[in-house]
Amino acid sequence: MYELISIFENVRDFMERGGPVLLWIFLSTAVLWTLIIERMLYYSAGRRIDMYKVMTLWDARHERKSWYARKIRTAMISQISLNLNANLAHIRALTTLCLLLGILGTVIGMVEMFDTMAILGMDNMRAIASGVAKITIPVMAGMVVSLSGLFAISFLRRRAEKELVMLEDRLALDH
């Protein structure tokens, strides 16, 4: 129990040292990773259900060469593409937002540090060190979240493209 309280105290201290922007970065990170996990779950389970439905409908068709058949195939592939790429734009936007929030935190920290230096002068090194923490912590947090988001979006986009190519190959036009 003591370890849990210690963890919460350390997180609280980190958030206080980084300034108010860290709360926004934390909230954005929570939404970002919720969307990433949702996509991972979809790719592992929901995608199979969608693909199975489309392949079953396509396999049940007797005629696959006409203009209508090609349009139905295109519509099926487009629907699966929408499902595979759902929320990827939101993930990309949140990744960028976290980086920008980190930069905003840096700017706010710089303003606070210059205010402190103007009031207390250059002699108070403790106040300057606190200001430096408010400058570096938000940009570091924003960059870490953005890098993890970039890796995730890259993986998710490649996975969606791979699944779509496999579906296109599976839905043959000849009969």
Side-chain angles (χ1 to χ4, degrees), residues 5-15 17:
I5 292 171
S6 176
I7 289 171
F8 283 123
E9 288 175 354
N10 289 337
V11 169
R12 184 197 66 216
D13 292 344
F14 180 75
M15 297 292 274
R17 276 196 305 261

Side-chain angles (χ1 to χ4, degrees), residues 2 8 34 36 45 49 51 55 65 79 81 117 135 153 155 158 168:
Y2 176 74
F8 283 123
T34 300
I36 290 170
I49 295 168
M51 296 274 205
M55 288 187 284
K65 292 184 179 184
Q79 183 60 51
S81 177
M117 288 170 51
I135 290 172
I153 194 69
F155 171 78
R158 278 193 319 265
E168 288 173 349

Side-chain angles (χ1 to χ4, degrees), residues 10-11 25 38 45 48 53 75-76 80 116 121 124 145 147 149 165:
N10 289 337
V11 169
I25 293 173
E38 181 273 332
R48 289 184 182 143
K53 287 178 186 175
M76 289 175 167
I80 294 295
T116 302
N124 192 338
V145 173
L147 284 173
V165 167

Side-chain angles (χ1 to χ4, degrees), residues 54-174:
V54 167
M55 288 187 284
T56 302
L57 284 171
W58 185 253
D59 288 341
R61 287 189 61 83
H62 297 293
E63 186 274 319
R64 297 182 193 164
K65 292 184 179 184
S66 70
W67 180 85
Y68 291 110
R70 282 194 296 265
K71 293 301 176 188
I72 289 170
R73 178 182 179 269
T74 302
M76 289 175 167
I77 292 171
S78 294
Q79 183 60 51
I80 294 295
S81 177
L82 287 173
N83 293 349
L84 288 170
N85 290 304
N87 291 331
L88 292 186
H90 295 104
I91 293 170
R92 210 171 307 130
L94 283 168
T95 299
T96 304
L97 177 67
C98 288
L99 183 59
L100 294 175
L101 285 172
I103 294 170
L104 175 66
T106 297
V107 171
I108 291 171
M110 289 176 74
V111 169
E112 287 182 17
M113 188 175 87
F114 290 137
D115 282 345
T116 302
M117 288 170 51
I119 293 169
L120 300 176
M122 293 291 288
D123 297 334
N124 192 338
M125 294 309 279
R126 182 176 296 266
I128 292 173
S130 172
V132 169
K134 282 193 177 179
I135 290 172
T136 56
I137 289 175
V139 77
M140 175 200 59
M143 288 177 73
V144 166
V145 173
S146 292
L147 284 173
S148 68
L150 284 174
F151 288 130
I153 194 69
S154 175
F155 171 78
L156 293 171
R157 194 175 352 185
R158 278 193 319 265
R159 178 84 187 258
E161 289 171 1
K162 178 182 146 190
E163 296 292 339
L164 201 56
V165 167
M166 285 176 23
L167 179 66
E168 288 173 349
D169 290 343
R170 174 65 175 83
L171 299 181
L173 285 171
D174 59 332

